[in-house]
Amino acid sequence: MATVTIDIDTDSYTQSDSPDTNFGTSSALELRDIPSGVKNMFLYADILASVPSGATIDSATLRVWFNSGTSPVKCESVAAAWVETTITHNNQPGITGAILSTVTISVSGSETAHDWDVKQAVQDIVYSALTNNGFRLAHAETGGSSASNARSSDYPTAGVRPDLIITWHTTRAGRGYFLFL
């Protein structure tokens, strides 16, 4: 069994009340779902560069460090490719369907890590059943007054940047024994 931590080096957020603005070089990632606008986070890690094709995924966790917020946040697989320096609200891709997991943000202190279970999506990527377009974080409840802020891959302190932690194994081809009677 092996464990690898992959740095999220591609991330951004989109903002509905600034629909043509890109936030790809910001040191913060923002979430919001209030009447005046919605903000969603997009995160990408090159999974296949670190996990061999056909590996069995034992666990996969998307970790994001938040410095403010108290609300449920859902994680979803992104349906199409996007670019960190050009993604905006107006050109953001959709999602693939089901919510992967939901976590309630609760910040205590300056930075608090929050983990989403993304095992099924990572397994599907490794088995080529899903194209790796990354993940989207969005508020799970709409129409409220929720706002949350997190550290991005451009944040100066490396220890609080987002990452993907994957534990995997491969099955060795064993010897087959046959008994002929």
Side-chain angles (χ1 to χ4, degrees):
M1 196 174 323
T3 299
V4 62
T5 299
I6 305 169
D7 295 334
I8 301 289
D9 59 2
T10 302
D11 57 14
S12 189
Y13 69 93
T14 60
Q15 184 171 332
S16 65
D17 53 341
S18 295
D20 294 314
T21 303
N22 172 266
F23 300 96
T25 59
S26 174
S27 64
L29 295 171
E30 299 184 24
L31 284 176
R32 180 175 75 189
D33 191 348
I34 59 176
S36 65
V38 174
K39 295 180 182 179
N40 294 318
M41 295 180 188
F42 288 81
L43 304 106
Y44 174 86
D46 188 357
I47 295 165
L48 295 177
S50 300
V51 179
S53 178
T56 299
I57 304 302
D58 298 304
S59 67
T61 302
L62 175 64
R63 175 167 292 157
V64 180
W65 293 81
F66 282 80
N67 62 320
S68 69
T70 54
S71 60
V73 174
K74 61 187 175 181
C75 180
E76 302 157 302
S77 292
V78 177
W82 54 278
V83 177
E84 179 180 40
T85 56
T86 61
I87 188 172
T88 67
H89 177 77
N90 280 341
N91 69 12
Q92 68 182 317
I95 56 167
T96 60
I99 296 169
L100 299 172
S101 58
T102 301
V103 171
T104 298
I105 303 301
S106 180
V107 176
S108 60
S110 59
E111 284 106 7
T112 304
H114 291 80
D115 295 345
W116 284 264
D117 180 356
V118 295
K119 176 183 174 183
Q120 188 59 55
V122 171
Q123 186 69 79
D124 289 347
I125 290 165
V126 169
Y127 282 146
S128 300
L130 178 69
T131 300
N132 183 12
N133 293 309
F135 303 101
R136 180 180 85 166
L137 296 183
H139 278 290
E141 298 172 352
T142 59
S145 59
S146 301
S148 305
N149 293 313
R151 305 303 188 198
S152 83
S153 62
D154 297 308
Y155 192 72
T157 305
V160 293
R161 294 178 188 154
D163 49 29
L164 184 61
I165 304 147
I166 302 171
T167 301
W168 56 274
H169 71 275
T170 56
T171 304
R172 292 183 187 200
R175 291 184 177 174
Y177 295 96
F178 299 95
L179 178 61
F180 296 99
L181 299 176

